[in-house]
Amino acid sequence: MSQPPSKKERVHFGTLEREGVALAKRKRQEEDIDSERDGEDGGDDMLKLTEFTKEDPRDLAGSTVDLDLIDESLGDNIDDQMNDESLERRRQAMDEFERKKLARSIAVPTADLEVRAQLRSLDHPVCLFGEDAGDRRGRLRYILSKIAIEQKKSAAPGEPEDAMTRGDADEIEEEEGEDEEFYTEGSEELRQARHKIAVYSLARAGDRLERQRKDCEADLAVVRQRRQNLVKTLQSYTNDGSQVGGERPLARIVFSADSKTLLVGSWSGAIKLWTVPQCKEVRTYRGHTDRVGGLSFRPQSAAIHPLDPESTVVDFASGAADKTIHLWSAAKETPVATLHGHANRVVHVNFHPSGDFLGSASYDGSWRLWDIATQRELLLQEGHSREVFCLRFQCDGSLVATAGLDGIGRVWDLRSGRSVMALEGHAKEIFGLDWSPNGFHVATGSADNTVRVFDLRKMESICQIPAHKSMITDVRFFHAASLPPALAAADGSDDSTMMMDTSTDRETNARLCSGQYLVSASNDGLVNVWTTGDWKLQKSLAGHVGKVMSVDVAGDGSYIASSGYDRTFKLWGPEDFA
């Protein structure tokens, strides 16, 4: 009776046994070739192998691997191969990890001219094809990190390392994570400015909180009626005026504090002052040589003055692609002062609520704080990985929010200089930003076609609005400076408790209406109006041909103004407002 053949042991692909079998076969083949060449021991070896097979055939049939035929140096060969390949890859990965950690701690100049000069001193190309300022700065950081690593490796154990390498090593040892706060010593002027801002903002914050407590005691029926009147008024908005504002696209439009005039900045470099609602040109201001991107009225400034070439009163500020910031008097057609410092296009400027300071955002990756009285730079703040596009001060004056092309916004405490919150969530660049009058809501508009609303109390985004079909260029809350005339006319209730006859009632009504709606502009050609709280769309204002580049809301609630790529600006107001 024949014995069934024994089942061969399964050898999985890639296992040590499979490699051992292959190595054993190659070894036997090499031995056979050598024995045939020698012609001496070949017959004996073949005889021994035959005798071994005949003697116990189950030895080969019952096992796939003969461990005696595996070279004892197999383990050594595998270890050597791992040392040559795997360990080398691990070493390279660790070196790259250390280089990246070191690169994060290296200080690289912000100004593009300084970056170019340092690249030239290191014998590297000043500019590569298709490279912008941000890429060039990153390349310099990479080169400096490679040099620091090489110096660290070449330094003898007993030799002291150079200052840069030793300082970078200390930074790496102290660094706990990828993001690390660091502080630089500020000037005495900055310390005094921070103290002044703290005193000013604490008093305003106390007043705001006291008003909000009183507003919470308002009659719910009055609040509901006021909300209904607001919605009715917003839904009746229509185009009340349109005017060609320049020869090139109009990048920025802002109302004056009294809502009687507005400024329009053009890509031609010219700035024009227009009356509201007649849309008549009052004056043209010339000083910039490139695209105007930022405009801001100084708080409580009077916009219309008789023409006075000697006037030095600062009424508004502007920033442009010529890297300069001009301070203007409304009564003078040329700048009264020019602020230099930014290394690239200035895209946004905003006055501090006190009127004593000015903030500016630039494509050089920084935002800066300026003293209006001394016309000096107080603070140069970095923190964004790409260009900074927008900047707004909070109503109290203690905080400032910035955002840019890195898709992240940041809230900074002006009293301490710290970044207190990151506005994260957008998938693309942020082009618009504004604070709510309540002091704790921030709205951002992005190229991902959405508006996000952040709450500083919760430290998170509380609402995402799919606001437009194209990138959002600007967002603005309604900041009430006085009783909105349209709302006063719409309040026709017979209830005597709802009639605002005294100045106190009018101020209360203005406060309760302030921040109750948000306006957004987009490249889809629309200006959308949203009520806050429920964040519902109340009105889409269509009239521009192409992109809407900027939007603003009058402090008295009478009009919404927008400017566009079609070189026109438009006024939108309620139908029944005369």
Side-chain angles (χ1 to χ4, degrees):
M1 185 175 181
S2 61
Q3 183 178 359
S6 59
K7 187 178 180 180
K8 292 185 179 181
E9 181 182 356
R10 177 178 296 177
V11 179
H12 295 279
F13 178 79
T15 61
L16 181 62
E17 290 83 2
R18 174 66 62 87
E19 296 178 359
V21 171
L23 183 61
K25 288 182 179 179
R26 288 196 301 269
K27 184 175 181 62
R28 284 199 300 271
Q29 292 174 358
E30 292 174 358
E31 290 178 352
D32 293 342
I33 293 173
D34 293 339
S35 62
E36 289 177 0
R37 287 179 179 177
D38 295 339
E40 297 177 357
D41 301 330
D44 297 338
D45 293 339
M46 184 64 67
L47 180 61
K48 291 179 181 179
L49 180 59
T50 304
E51 293 175 352
F52 174 77
T53 306
K54 291 181 178 180
E55 188 174 23
D56 192 0
R58 289 175 297 177
D59 292 340
L60 291 179
S63 177
T64 306
V65 181
D66 190 349
L67 298 179
D68 292 336
L69 297 178
I70 299 178
D71 191 356
E72 294 179 356
S73 63
L74 176 61
D76 296 336
N77 293 336
I78 294 175
D79 291 340
D80 294 340
Q81 185 178 4
M82 184 171 61
N83 289 336
D84 295 339
E85 298 178 3
S86 299
L87 296 182
E88 179 65 20
R89 288 196 298 269
R90 291 181 182 179
R91 186 188 63 79
Q92 293 177 357
M94 291 301 297
D95 290 344
E96 181 65 14
F97 179 72
E98 292 295 328
R99 186 199 64 77
K100 289 182 179 180
K101 289 181 65 178
L102 180 60
R104 286 194 295 268
S105 64
I106 294 178
V108 179
T110 302
D112 189 50
L113 292 178
E114 297 180 9
V115 172
R116 291 172 180 265
Q118 196 160 351
L119 286 171
R120 186 180 291 108
S121 65
L122 296 173
D123 295 330
H124 282 268
V126 174
C127 184
L128 299 180
F129 179 77
E131 184 181 56
D132 59 11
D135 298 333
R136 191 157 39 250
R137 190 167 181 259
R139 180 162 62 92
L140 176 60
R141 186 184 298 276
Y142 173 80
I143 294 171
L144 292 178
S145 65
K146 295 289 287 186
I147 294 175
I149 289 292
E150 293 174 359
Q151 291 176 347
K152 189 175 181 180
K153 289 182 178 179
S154 61
E159 288 184 16
E161 300 176 357
D162 61 11
M164 183 180 68
T165 306
R166 184 169 58 253
D168 294 337
D170 295 339
E171 291 277 351
I172 293 175
E173 291 177 359
E174 295 176 0
E175 186 176 2
E176 293 294 336
E178 295 185 359
D179 298 326
E180 178 186 7
E181 287 188 349
F182 65 93
Y183 298 90
T184 56
E185 184 177 357
S187 62
E188 177 62 22
E189 291 84 355
L190 178 59
R191 188 193 68 80
Q192 294 177 0
R194 292 196 190 281
H195 181 267
K196 185 176 181 179
I197 290 173
V199 173
Y200 176 85
S201 62
L202 287 173
R204 284 178 62 94
D207 294 341
R208 175 175 58 84
L209 292 175
E210 183 63 26
R211 290 195 304 267
Q212 290 176 348
R213 293 189 188 99
K214 293 181 179 179
D215 294 342
C216 291
E217 301 174 358
D219 187 0
L220 185 59
V222 177
V223 175
R224 185 181 296 110
Q225 182 64 39
R226 185 178 292 111
R227 179 78 170 191
Q228 293 175 356
N229 293 337
L230 173 64
V231 172
K232 186 185 302 183
T233 301
L234 295 178
Q235 292 176 348
S236 68
Y237 266 55
T238 185
N239 189 354
D240 276 2
S242 180
Q243 182 65 269
V244 176
E247 300 175 353
R248 297 198 63 191
L250 307 181
R252 190 68 61 182
I253 187 167
V254 291
F255 278 102
S256 60
D258 57 8
S259 303
K260 295 180 179 179
T261 57
L262 55 82
L263 282 172
V264 179
S266 170
W267 275 7
S268 66
I271 302 170
K272 295 185 178 181
L273 182 68
W274 302 81
T275 60
V276 177
Q278 296 82 7
C279 296
K280 293 183 179 180
E281 182 179 343
V282 178
R283 200 162 294 142
T284 300
Y285 304 94
R286 302 188 183 276
H288 288 294
T289 59
D290 206 340
R291 294 160 292 172
V292 175
L295 279 176
S296 180
F297 264 110
R298 195 174 187 180
Q300 308 303 325
S301 65
I304 298 181
H305 297 287
L307 187 61
D308 182 7
E310 304 300 325
S311 176
T312 59
V313 177
V314 176
D315 291 314
F316 66 92
S318 64
D322 57 10
K323 308 175 187 178
T324 63
I325 300 170
H326 288 332
L327 303 180
W328 305 82
S329 171
K332 188 177 180 180
E333 296 181 346
T334 56
V336 298
T338 302
L339 308 179
H340 297 277
H342 281 292
N344 209 327
R345 174 185 175 188
V346 180
V347 289
H348 207 279
V349 294
N350 189 228
F351 271 100
H352 187 267
S354 66
D356 297 330
F357 307 100
L358 179 73
S360 59
S362 170
Y363 267 28
D364 62 10
S366 70
W367 66 271
R368 309 192 185 206
L369 186 68
W370 308 83
D371 190 326
I372 298 300
T374 62
Q375 299 171 9
R376 295 182 59 182
E377 178 186 300
L378 297 175
L379 174 65
L380 186 158
Q381 181 66 61
E382 296 179 326
H384 290 272
S385 60
R386 293 189 62 188
E387 295 87 340
V388 185
F389 198 88
C390 44
L391 174 147
R392 293 281 184 187
F393 289 101
Q394 186 219 28
C395 56
D396 296 337
S398 59
L399 304 175
V400 61
T402 60
L405 305 191
D406 55 2
I408 297 177
R410 292 191 178 276
V411 178
W412 308 83
D413 190 338
L414 293 171
R415 300 162 296 185
S416 64
R418 297 187 61 181
S419 175
V420 297
M421 181 179 176
L423 309 178
E424 299 177 324
H426 284 294
K428 293 184 179 180
E429 301 89 342
I430 298 176
F431 293 110
L433 179 148
D434 195 25
W435 287 89
S436 170
N438 61 24
F440 50 81
H441 283 162
V442 185
T444 56
S446 169
D448 61 8
N449 308 346
T450 66
V451 172
R452 280 186 176 269
V453 182
F454 297 86
D455 193 325
L456 266 67
R457 302 169 301 178
K458 299 180 179 180
M459 300 293 287
E460 64 181 12
S461 173
I462 61 171
C463 181
Q464 180 181 8
I465 309 172
H468 291 271
K469 296 180 180 180
S470 186
M471 61 178 287
I472 296 171
T473 55
D474 203 2
V475 291
R476 288 290 286 164
F477 279 99
F478 167 49
H479 296 257
S482 60
L483 177 67
L487 296 182
D491 193 354
S493 174
D494 295 334
D495 191 349
S496 60
T497 60
M498 301 179 64
M499 301 299 293
M500 280 71 69
D501 294 331
T502 65
S503 60
T504 303
D505 292 334
R506 296 174 67 85
E507 291 174 1
T508 301
N509 185 78
R511 288 199 307 270
L512 294 176
C513 290
S514 185
Q516 290 298 305
Y517 61 93
L518 173 74
V519 182
S520 61
S522 171
N523 278 358
D524 61 8
L526 297 178
V527 176
N528 288 343
V529 185
W530 313 81
T531 49
T532 59
D534 55 6
W535 307 108
K536 290 183 178 180
L537 177 64
Q538 300 299 337
K539 187 71 174 181
S540 285
L541 305 174
H544 283 282
V545 180
K547 309 171 185 176
V548 183
M549 305 181 70
S550 179
V551 69
D552 197 15
V553 184
D556 60 3
S558 55
Y559 291 102
I560 296 173
S562 60
S563 62
Y565 197 81
D566 57 3
R567 301 179 292 113
T568 67
F569 71 90
K570 301 182 185 298
L571 294 179
W572 313 87
E575 291 180 342
D576 56 350
F577 177 62

